[in-house]
Amino acid sequence: MNFRDKYQKKKTKIKEASQRSEEKSKSSGNAGGSIFKKELIPDGISFWRPTKGDHIIDILPIPLGTDDYWDKKLKKGDFVDSLQFFIYRFVGPLGENFISPGDNYQQRDPIKEWISKEFRSKAVYNATRSKDYRIYLIWCHDTPEEEKKGVQIWEVASHFMQKALDKLKVNPRGGGILDYWDPDEGKSVMFSFDDSGTYEDPNGVSRKSTEYSGHRFIDREEPIPEKILSQIFEVDTCLILHPTYEEIYEAFYQTPLKSDKDKKAEEVEDKEIEEEEEVEEEVEEEEEVEEEVEEEEEVEEEVEEKPKKSKKKKAIEVKKAKKKAKSGCPHGYEFGVDFETKEKCEKCEGDIWDKCFEKNEELEED
């Protein structure tokens, strides 16, 4: 069965798949050869890159070679107008590219995890997130040399080409979709390509910005010839649809992903360090407690010494009082004996002075 016969049986699914791809582009916020297994690409098939100027291409239907496309309504053998994937571009210093596990297949994705882990600025988010890309099989009519190359692979951001095609393919008269990819009834696509400045990729490398404009459909001179249709192949079988978590992690972080064994050993080491720190803290706390106890003991000793001194002072004062009571002198001198011989005698007057004087005379008479 030739290509046309296969295509005629399956072509009705292309419009449905195209519509789902358009919806995916709108709902998802989020090329290099590294997403391809180049050794599986058929001999003679090359990658096409537009140059400055006007271009005319035919976009060709692509058969699916696996049941592993993200659109699960499509199976092996069905056709699509293009393959759509969200791709991480220029990851790490080697500028690697990966089909995003998270945005295409809802699987674990180290870059998506990094983005959602904490707030990222708009600039960082836009530079890091996966981008909506289309992979086409095209036949270029720019020059006779280009036509001789036959079928080529073209990988391009959706907003440069598919966004315009989705608008153009809607028939303004009566609605419906124009099957521009159809080998017999489709249209050629014409557009202009130019540079529009520069931008920095996620690694800070300056790259050229591009601009696509003037998209429009033009009539083909003839249906796609069989020699071109026979070159069409199952592109999805040549893609790395499921890069591993480890591959993306190591390219993004530039460090090996730790195994469960390494993580466990690291946890043990962290626990030992934590225990050592706890012991050091306990020793420091004990030393602080000892210092506090010593300070309290010193204070207590001082407090104990003060009462002793006050008791002694009190005993002296009691002794003086007793002496005072015994002698009758308010200053503790010997009553009558020390009359007018001491410094404080001048303070005495009245009755006490008279009695001390009388006592002094009595002692002199004796």
Side-chain angles (χ1 to χ4, degrees):
M1 185 182 292
N2 63 25
F3 181 88
R4 271 194 169 81
D5 294 333
K6 292 178 182 178
Y7 172 75
Q8 290 299 328
K9 285 190 173 184
K10 296 285 189 177
K11 71 176 186 178
T12 55
K13 286 199 172 184
I14 295 185
K15 290 182 182 180
E16 297 173 3
S18 180
Q19 181 63 28
R20 288 193 293 275
S21 289
E22 185 178 352
E23 291 172 355
K24 179 178 176 68
S25 296
K26 291 177 180 178
S27 63
S28 300
N30 320 324
S34 67
I35 67 168
F36 285 88
K37 301 173 185 176
K38 290 188 175 181
E39 70 276 7
L40 298 181
I41 296 174
D43 291 340
I45 301 296
S46 59
F47 287 86
W48 185 68
R49 294 289 181 269
T51 55
K52 284 185 180 182
D54 296 331
H55 300 278
I56 299 175
I57 62 173
D58 285 322
I59 292 176
L60 307 171
I62 303 173
L64 293 178
T66 71
D67 292 327
D68 205 14
Y69 189 48
W70 63 264
D71 186 345
K72 295 309 176 185
K73 292 183 180 180
L74 296 173
K75 302 298 180 184
K76 180 179 179 179
D78 290 338
F79 285 84
V80 292
D81 61 333
S82 62
L83 293 174
Q84 178 195 25
F85 291 102
F86 282 83
I87 299 173
Y88 291 120
R89 299 274 291 170
F90 310 119
V91 178
L94 297 180
E96 297 182 67
N97 302 290
F98 299 97
I99 290 175
S100 167
D103 290 321
N104 294 293
Y105 295 99
Q106 291 71 56
Q107 296 172 352
R108 284 189 69 204
D109 186 329
I111 298 179
K112 201 171 179 68
E113 290 172 358
W114 180 86
I115 291 173
S116 60
K117 190 176 291 184
E118 59 184 66
F119 173 78
R120 308 293 178 190
S121 69
K122 186 176 180 180
V124 171
Y125 170 76
N126 286 333
T128 311
R129 69 181 176 87
S130 64
K131 310 299 190 302
D132 186 3
Y133 270 77
R134 298 296 179 117
I135 300 171
Y136 300 99
L137 287 182
I138 63 108
W139 185 26
C140 178
H141 302 287
D142 291 348
T143 64
E145 291 74 22
E146 281 293 328
E147 283 192 339
K148 287 180 183 179
K149 292 180 181 178
V151 173
Q152 298 185 74
I153 301 169
W154 184 27
E155 183 185 352
V156 62
S158 293
H159 69 272
F160 286 141
M161 180 56 57
Q162 194 61 43
K163 187 176 179 181
L165 295 179
D166 287 339
K167 292 179 179 179
L168 290 172
K169 72 183 180 182
V170 179
N171 192 333
R173 297 180 180 180
I177 301 296
L178 174 63
D179 301 344
Y180 58 86
W181 56 80
D182 189 280
D184 296 319
E185 301 173 358
K187 300 283 187 179
S188 293
V189 180
M190 187 172 182
F191 65 93
S192 296
F193 174 85
D194 199 358
D195 293 335
S196 61
T198 60
Y199 74 96
E200 284 191 359
D201 70 17
N203 300 307
V205 177
S206 180
R207 299 183 181 277
K208 288 183 178 180
S209 295
T210 55
E211 182 180 4
Y212 292 72
S213 61
H215 302 76
R216 59 190 180 277
F217 292 133
I218 60 174
D219 293 335
R220 291 175 182 158
E221 294 181 358
E222 60 180 354
I224 305 296
E226 193 63 39
K227 68 176 183 179
I228 296 299
L229 295 179
S230 65
Q231 298 174 26
I232 291 174
F233 65 101
E234 298 162 335
V235 181
D236 59 322
T237 62
C238 305
L239 294 172
I240 304 172
L241 296 175
H242 300 286
T244 66
Y245 185 94
E246 182 178 9
E247 288 172 339
I248 301 174
Y249 182 98
E250 293 182 359
F252 183 69
Y253 286 101
Q254 287 299 293
T255 184
L257 178 65
K258 294 172 183 174
S259 64
D260 292 338
K261 185 178 180 180
D262 292 335
K263 287 180 181 177
K264 191 171 182 181
E266 193 174 80
E267 287 175 1
V268 171
E269 186 178 351
D270 289 343
K271 190 173 181 181
E272 290 176 352
I273 292 172
E274 188 177 338
E275 288 176 352
E276 288 178 4
E277 290 177 349
E278 288 178 356
V279 169
E280 289 177 0
E281 287 179 1
E282 289 177 0
V283 169
E284 288 177 0
E285 288 177 359
E286 288 177 1
E287 289 177 350
E288 289 177 0
V289 170
E290 289 178 359
E291 289 178 1
E292 290 177 359
V293 170
E294 289 177 359
E295 289 177 359
E296 289 178 359
E297 288 177 349
E298 290 176 0
V299 171
E300 288 177 357
E301 288 177 1
E302 290 178 2
V303 170
E304 287 177 359
E305 286 178 2
K306 287 179 180 179
K308 288 178 181 178
K309 290 179 180 179
S310 60
K311 285 180 181 179
K312 185 177 180 182
K313 186 176 180 181
K314 190 175 181 180
I316 293 171
E317 290 176 352
V318 168
K319 188 174 181 182
K320 286 182 177 180
K322 287 182 178 178
K323 187 177 180 182
K324 173 185 172 182
K326 186 177 181 182
S327 66
C329 176
H331 304 299
Y333 304 141
E334 190 170 352
F335 196 71
V337 175
D338 297 323
F339 176 71
E340 293 294 346
T341 61
K342 304 295 183 182
E343 182 178 350
K344 293 182 179 181
C345 290
E346 296 178 356
K347 295 181 180 181
C348 289
E349 55 184 14
D351 188 50
I352 293 176
W353 187 90
D354 292 339
K355 288 182 178 180
C356 187
F357 171 73
E358 292 176 356
K359 183 67 176 174
N360 180 264
E361 286 187 341
E362 289 178 1
L363 291 173
E364 287 182 355
E365 290 177 359
D366 293 337

